[in-house]
Structure formats: C-alpha cells, structure tokens
C-alpha cells in the first residue's frame, strides 16, 4: 500500500499542512489567549498590545526554541514499529488527529473554554492508534505520565505563584513605603524573568539555528541578558508618572506600585508568549512533521527526522492568526473570571507559569500551558484566601479539561475512517 504515499504524496502533505495550520490557529485562539489573559485582565496592556507582543514573541519562541518538544509528541505516545508495514495508516492518522484537535480547539475557543491544546492532540493521536491499529500501539505508560502532569503541573505553578506573590507582599506591599520598595525590587524581578527565559532559549532552542554554546557560556549570556533587562526596567520605572502621594495616602501609593508592576507585566507577557511558542508549536507541527517525513521517505518511519524548512513558520503564523482573530473570549475567562487580578498578582501568576513551562520544556514533558497558568492564577488567588476565587468558573474549566482527551479521540477516530476510506 506504500504506492498510496507515492501517488498521493503531495495531496497528503497538502492536507496535513492545511490541518496543521488549523491546529496552530486553534492553539493561537485558545492557548495564547491564556498566556496573554493575565496581562490583559489586570489592565497592564490592552488587547491590541497583547496581540502585537504575542505575534513577535510567540513567533520567536516557536521558531527559535520550538524544536525540542516535537519529538515527544511524534515518537513517545504511539509505538511506530506497529506502523512499519503500513506507514500510510500513520499518515492518515496524523492528518485526522490534526483535523480533530483543530476543530475541538476552535469550538472550545468559541465557548471561551481554556482547554489544553496538548491534550487535544494527544487524545486524537491515541484515538486513531488504538482503533486503527490496536490498543497495543499506544504507549500507555507515557499517557499515564501526561495524565499525571495534569495534577502535578498546576500544583507546581500554583506553588511557585504563591511564593512569588508572598515575596512581593513581604518586600513591597506590607512595608512603610511600598512605592520606594517597588522601585527598588521590581528591577530584580524583571531580571529574574529575563534570566529564566533567556536561559531556556539559549540551552534549548538555538541549536537548530547553529549556535552551540557550552553550559557555562549559556549561563553567562543569560545573566548578561538578565542584567540588561533589569537595567532597562529600572530606567522605565524611573520615567513613570506617579500621582505624587505622600506616605499617608497608602491607597494612592498602592496605585503607583501597581503602575510599576504594570511595566513588569509587559516583560512577563513577552516571556510567557515566548515560552508558550516554544512549548506548544510542537502540537501543531509534530504530526505534520511525521507526515512529511513518512511521505518524503516513501513510507520509511524514522525515529528522528529533520524538520522541513517551511514547517516551523507555518505553525508560528497559524498561532498568530488564531490569536488575532479569535483570542478575545478565552482571555476574558483567564484574566477576569477566575479571580480579580491586579498587575502585581498577574505578574506572580505569569512568572510562575513561565518558569513551569520552561522546566517542562527542558525535560521534554508535553505539559499544558493552560493548566500551568490556571494553576498559577489559582495560587495567587489562594494567597488572598479561598473566597477570592470564583469556584464556578474553575469547575467549568476543570470539566472542559476532562472532556478534551475523549473529544479529541472520538473526532480523530471518525476522521481516520473517513480519510482511510477515501484513499483506499
């Protein structure tokens, strides 16, 4: 049946590219909207600014640092040895998985549900493999790890967010002169954000544009970038127009402190967009890369294959378009509906989420940015007491998470049989 790949190769790659773009569009509409939701929800930036930041940094993250996670999605979840005699099934399956996950994401985004793009695609891949080839083709232990990450990831990011927010309270808000302390400490928080993000980019992503640094060089470069970010932050803060309140009017003082944090939010929004682009572009391009590699080699399933030059940009553009056209609804859910966010709270949530995503990208675990961020926002809410959290919204979010895997699997099984029928 390999002749199917030869005669219809271009058509199959074209379908995969189209559905891969749809999937990336869904990631943009759903996941990037979460990444930007805290910044928009705390009024640190407008929606228009969020879209511009996301365009630049998501694209950069996907293009510069997006290579690492693709292999996990491609080889980890299903055992490709079951497809060696019928590689066309893998091609049909990956195409149907992209279409299934893409459709589910578009539906969820329209309803304003922040679901996990990672789990949409994972569910879809499991669905076609279990039904199309047999349950033994699925590496269930890997799936267990992914299911485990649903609990672990929000817990880690929630904990980090809780700690960051407590440190902000201690160093800045609960002092006699919050504004002076904000001016003193916020540049350090900015430097921290710069350090975390640049370290990841350097160690993970720059390999496939040909920059290979030793780990010591990487740390030094990341520290240098962090210092620059901190200094730029200090300059930006010194130029802020304050309301000129004396120490007696603490409430006006707090308004000024939040202005300082709003600058910081712009930095963390950039970081989050970058982290997200590097981690989640894999969900759209992993299956697409698999199709291109199998068709291109005439049916040979390689464990590792170089990405075709056009695949990463396709994913990156798809993400940007999805956010620009459809991202508003999910932003509303994350930024406004879970708990009341101010710039200082939003900052704590975003830095925690970015750190968690970075740790996960480094270990190659396909986590969900959504769950990371929701966990972080909950962590910040918890720091103010359980009453600060809108439990109803959280319940809906959790339900939409649980539904995502089976929804992806169900749709992918239907499309798998349709595509298989069409080509045979």
């Amino acid at each position: 049946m390999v002749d199917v790949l030869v005669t219809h190769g271009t058509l199959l790659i074209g379908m995969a590219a189209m559905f891969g773009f749809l999937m990336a569009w869904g990631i943009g509409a759903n996941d990037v909207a979460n990444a930007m939701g805290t910044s928009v929800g705390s009024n640190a930036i407008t929606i228009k600014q969020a879209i511009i930041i996301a365009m630049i940094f998501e694209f950069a993250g996907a293009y510069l640092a997006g290579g690492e996670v693709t292999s996990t999605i491609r080889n980890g979840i299903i055992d490709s040895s079951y497809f060696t005699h019928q590689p066309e099934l893998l091609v049909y399956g990956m195409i149907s998985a992209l279409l299934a996950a893409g459709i589910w994401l578009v539906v969820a985004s329209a309803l304003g549900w922040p679901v996990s793009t990672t789990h949409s695609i994972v569910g879809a891949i499991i669905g076609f493999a279990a039904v199309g080839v047999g349950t033994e083709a699925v590496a269930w232990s890997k799936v267990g790890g992914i299911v485990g990450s649903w609990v672990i990831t929000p817990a880690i990011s929630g904990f980090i967010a809780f700690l960051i927010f407590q440190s902000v309270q201690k160093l800045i808000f609960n002092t006699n002169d919050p504004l002076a302390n904000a001016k003193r400490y916020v540049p350090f928080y900015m430097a921290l954000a710069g350090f975390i993000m640049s370290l990841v980019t350097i160690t993970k992503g720059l390999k496939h544009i040909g920059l290979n640094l030793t780990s010591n060089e990487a740390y030094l470069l990341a520290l240098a970038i962090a210092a620059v970010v901190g200094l730029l932050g200090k300059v930006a803060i010194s130029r802020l127009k304050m309301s000129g309140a004396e120490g007696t009017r603490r409430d006006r003082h707090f308004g000024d402190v939040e202005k300082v944090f709003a600058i910081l939010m712009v930095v963390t929004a950039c970081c989050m967009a970058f982290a997200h682009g590097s981690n989640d572009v894999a969900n759209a391009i992993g299956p697409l890369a698999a199709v291109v590699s199998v068709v291109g080699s005439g049916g040979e399933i390689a464990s590792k294959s170089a990405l075709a030059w056009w695949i990463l940009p396709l994913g990156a553009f798809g993400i940007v378009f999805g956010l620009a056209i459809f991202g508003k609804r999910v932003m509303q859910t994350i930024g406004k509906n879970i708990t009341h966010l101010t710039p200082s709270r939003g900052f704590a949530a975003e830095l925690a989420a970015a750190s968690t995503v970075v740790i996960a990208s480094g270990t190659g675990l396909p986590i969900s940015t959504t769950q990371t961020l929701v966990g972080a926002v909950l962590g910040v809410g918890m720091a103010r007491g359980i009453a600060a959290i809108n439990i109803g919204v959280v319940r809906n979010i959790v339900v939409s998470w649980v539904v995502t895997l089976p929804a992806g699997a169900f749709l992918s099984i239907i499309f798998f049989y349709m595509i298989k029928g069409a080509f045979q």
Side-chain angles (χ1 to χ4, degrees), residues 160-175 185 189 192 261 347-348 351 383:
I160 297 175
F162 184 84
L163 291 182
I164 293 174
F165 189 62
Q166 292 291 32
S167 77
V168 170
Q169 290 280 44
K170 209 178 188 72
L171 292 173
I172 296 172
F173 285 106
N174 299 344
T175 57
Y185 290 116
Y189 284 118
L192 176 66
F261 272 101
F347 150 71
L351 185 59

Side-chain angles (χ1 to χ4, degrees), residues 118-119 143-155 365-368 371-372:
T118 309
H119 301 159
V143 177
I146 292 168
V147 172
S149 76
W150 302 352
V151 184
I152 297 160
T153 322
L365 184 73
I367 59 157
S368 153
Q371 284 157 343
T372 315

Side-chain angles (χ1 to χ4, degrees), residues 336-348:
K336 295 265 203 276
N337 300 354
I338 298 179
T339 184
H340 175 66
L341 287 179
T342 60
S344 56
R345 291 173 200 153
F347 150 71

Side-chain angles (χ1 to χ4, degrees), residues 104-278:
W104 170 245
L105 287 177
V106 171
V107 170
S109 306
L111 294 168
W113 292 347
V115 297
S116 160
T117 52
T118 309
H119 301 159
S120 312
I121 193 73
V122 167
I125 290 175
I126 292 169
F128 88 78
V131 173
V133 181
T135 46
E136 67 279 3
V138 179
W140 295 106
S141 60
K142 286 274 171 69
V143 177
I146 292 168
V147 172
S149 76
W150 302 352
V151 184
I152 297 160
T153 322
I156 294 173
S157 66
F159 180 65
I160 297 175
F162 184 84
L163 291 182
I164 293 174
F165 189 62
Q166 292 291 32
S167 77
V168 170
Q169 290 280 44
K170 209 178 188 72
L171 292 173
I172 296 172
F173 285 106
N174 299 344
T175 57
N176 293 332
D177 193 349
L179 185 57
N181 283 325
K183 286 179 173 174
R184 183 177 306 143
Y185 290 116
V186 166
F188 288 105
Y189 284 118
M190 287 189 179
L192 176 66
F195 176 72
I196 288 174
M197 297 325 299
S198 48
L199 188 62
V200 159
T201 317
I202 296 160
T203 49
K204 281 285 155 252
L206 298 179
K207 295 226 172 71
H208 65 245
I209 54 171
L211 190 65
N212 289 315
L213 299 176
T214 63
S215 55
N216 285 352
E217 288 169 345
Y219 275 102
L220 284 172
L221 183 56
L223 281 170
I225 294 172
V228 171
V229 170
L231 284 171
L232 288 174
K234 206 167 172 57
V235 173
I237 291 166
S238 66
R239 299 177 126 177
L240 277 180
K241 289 199 168 34
M242 299 301 176
S243 54
E246 290 308 310
T248 46
R249 294 297 313 277
R250 284 191 62 136
D251 49 352
R252 221 186 307 167
H253 229 80
F254 282 140
D256 285 343
V257 173
E258 291 294 355
K259 270 189 200 165
V260 176
F261 272 101
I263 290 192
L264 185 48
M265 277 298 277
V266 177
V267 178
T268 49
C270 299
C271 291
M272 192 62 202
F274 191 93
H276 177 262
S278 69

Side-chain angles (χ1 to χ4, degrees), residues 96 99-100 103 410-420:
S96 49
L99 180 58
I103 288 176
F410 175 70
L411 286 170
S412 132
I413 290 166
I414 295 172
F415 296 139
F416 177 69
Y417 281 116
M418 284 165 64
I419 292 171
K420 188 177 163 187

